[in-house]
Amino acid sequence: MSSKIAVFPGSFDPITIGHESVIRRALPLFDELVIAIGINSTKNYFFPIEKRKEWIAKTFAGEKKVRIETYEGLTIDFCKKIKANYILRGLRTSADFEFERGIAQMNRAMASETETVFILSLPEYSAISSTIIRDIIRNKGNASAFVPRGVDLK
Ligand code: ADP
């Protein structure tokens, strides 16, 4: 049987305890989980790619099933390239659901061999987003409670 490889795509700008939780809960389902940092040249990121990658690596240090990659272009093309048959996404709210449904259905239409798997956020993490964390930091607040242990946002 071929191994089950999942891609968890995102910007991780920065990684949050919400991302971490979804990834940890998904690990038993897959043989390998590739955290894929999407790079879109038209998008301005808050944290440099090296920092975002370093924080993810620190969070999952010693986790044998986790691999970190960066990619440009369509997520399904990246999945094909690394032979991943699953895309993992987290759902916080009905807004996430509506957004994710469109992407997953379009991805499925383009690549029927790739299945999107959703994990519902734990209730205590459903308000946590990288966007709000960036806003806290921009305004000189302390966001350390919302990012994985060991992530030093400075
Ligand atoms: P994007 O740039 O695609 O919005 P993010 O890095 O914000 O990517 O998020 C990647 C994935 O993690 C998405 O599926 C998103 O719904 C999910 N996610 C983000 N925050 C949380 C959270 N607090 N709980 C559960 N899932 C989350």
Side-chain angles (χ1 to χ4, degrees):
M1 216 173 72
S2 61
S3 65
K4 291 191 169 69
I5 305 175
V7 164
F8 186 59
S11 310
F12 308 102
D13 192 20
I15 184 167
T16 73
I17 51 176
H19 296 131
E20 181 188 10
S21 163
V22 167
I23 292 165
R24 291 201 193 282
R25 289 166 62 207
L27 276 178
L29 305 175
F30 302 106
D31 298 309
E32 194 174 358
L33 203 157
V34 179
I35 303 175
I37 313 174
I39 300 173
N40 179 342
S41 53
T42 64
K43 212 163 149 181
N44 281 321
Y45 297 102
F46 191 77
F47 291 109
I49 180 69
E50 298 77 22
K51 273 280 165 206
R52 285 183 277 145
K53 206 170 172 182
E54 177 192 315
W55 288 330
I56 299 170
K58 206 166 173 192
T59 303
F60 296 102
E63 200 57 77
K64 290 188 183 62
K65 286 184 179 179
V66 171
R67 206 168 93 202
I68 307 161
E69 301 269 359
T70 55
Y71 74 104
E72 282 179 75
L74 294 176
T75 303
I76 49 158
D77 289 338
F78 177 69
C79 289
K80 274 184 197 149
K81 189 175 137 198
I82 66 160
K83 298 189 173 24
N85 286 102
Y86 302 92
I87 295 174
L88 173 69
R89 296 291 283 176
L91 291 178
R92 288 163 291 189
T93 60
S94 52
D96 271 358
F97 171 74
E98 288 302 336
F99 178 73
E100 296 292 345
R101 177 173 60 160
I103 296 175
Q105 288 176 337
M106 291 294 281
N107 279 340
R108 171 82 205 193
M110 291 186 286
S112 60
E113 69 281 5
T114 309
E115 204 63 77
T116 304
V117 174
F118 297 102
I119 285 198
L120 279 184
S121 163
L122 293 181
E124 60 268 40
Y125 298 146
S126 64
I128 298 174
S129 72
S130 299
T131 309
I132 299 178
I133 290 177
R134 290 195 297 273
D135 217 42
I136 295 171
I137 297 165
R138 248 183 234 116
N139 291 290
K140 315 239 178 305
N142 181 359
S144 60
F146 310 120
V147 295
R149 203 191 286 246
V151 171
D152 181 5
L153 290 169
K154 272 173 236 104

